[in-house]
Amino acid sequence: MEQKEMMTMSDFSYRLTRTLDAPVAAVWQAWTDEKQYEQWSYSAPGSVHQDVRPGGAWTTTVVDPAGNRHDIKGSYLEVEPERLLVMDMATPTGSTVMKLELTDKGAGTEAVLSQDCASAEERDMAEQGSTMLLDSLTAFLAAS
């Protein structure tokens, strides 16, 4: 069962909601285990490094559909296992904060991904990238 929804929080923010056919523990592992994250996140092989704790750093090199490589890095601001990840990340215009909230829905997990951005262009690009991530995560979990 998959559900998509977009709710605008402000002019330069987005919020995406998915109901995933996987338990919270599996979704959490997919997002926080380096080897699993690399498999579905469009990351270049060997580029994912995660220190999943408040203040811990994370890095990845994302390869977009055109083959362009984008180095992304940040840190974890809040970590509540199987419930919440709040991450900052460096962007060309400064930094931004992304939040992943997980809710156990019995047979599945509701995942809410939101981000505040500095401009409409940044928001649109980030929302498109996050939609691709959630699509890929959904496929990864279905195949697991």
Side-chain angles (χ1 to χ4, degrees), residues 12-33:
F12 304 133
S13 301
Y14 69 88
R15 178 182 171 101
L16 301 169
T17 300
R18 291 280 174 98
T19 301
L20 304 166
D21 281 331
V24 166
V27 177
W28 181 262
Q29 278 298 112
W31 204 284
T32 60
D33 178 83

Side-chain angles (χ1 to χ4, degrees), residues 2 6 8 10 25 28 36 47 54 82 89 93 101 110 120 122 124 131 139:
E2 179 181 324
M6 200 292 279
T8 303
S10 72
W28 181 262
Q36 287 189 44
S47 72
E82 297 185 8
M89 72 181 92
T93 59
E101 299 170 272
E110 180 180 80
E122 183 181 311
D124 293 348
T131 298

Side-chain angles (χ1 to χ4, degrees), residues 6-62:
M6 200 292 279
M7 299 168 57
T8 303
M9 295 178 293
S10 72
D11 287 345
F12 304 133
S13 301
Y14 69 88
R15 178 182 171 101
L16 301 169
T17 300
R18 291 280 174 98
T19 301
L20 304 166
D21 281 331
V24 166
V27 177
W28 181 262
Q29 278 298 112
W31 204 284
T32 60
D33 178 83
E34 291 176 355
K35 295 198 181 314
Q36 287 189 44
Y37 186 83
E38 183 178 289
Q39 291 179 49
W40 63 268
S41 66
Y42 301 96
S43 294
S47 72
V48 176
H49 303 285
Q50 298 172 313
D51 181 5
V52 185
R53 61 181 176 84
W58 65 271
T59 61
T60 186
T61 299
V62 174

Side-chain angles (χ1 to χ4, degrees), residues 50-128:
Q50 298 172 313
D51 181 5
V52 185
R53 61 181 176 84
W58 65 271
T59 61
T60 186
T61 299
V62 174
V63 182
D64 69 24
N68 300 308
R69 297 169 66 95
H70 307 277
D71 293 328
I72 304 174
K73 64 182 178 176
S75 64
Y76 295 98
L77 304 175
E78 294 180 53
V79 177
E80 294 180 31
E82 297 185 8
R83 196 185 93 61
L84 177 69
L85 279 178
V86 180
M87 306 153 275
D88 72 353
M89 72 181 92
T91 68
T93 59
S95 67
T96 186
V97 174
M98 177 184 283
K99 181 190 295 188
L100 173 68
E101 299 170 272
L102 303 176
T103 304
D104 185 345
K105 293 294 186 182
T109 301
E110 180 180 80
V112 178
L113 192 60
S114 58
Q115 186 173 350
D116 294 321
C117 300
S119 68
E121 180 182 28
E122 183 181 311
R123 179 204 57 220
D124 293 348
M125 288 175 45
E127 184 179 350
Q128 179 181 13

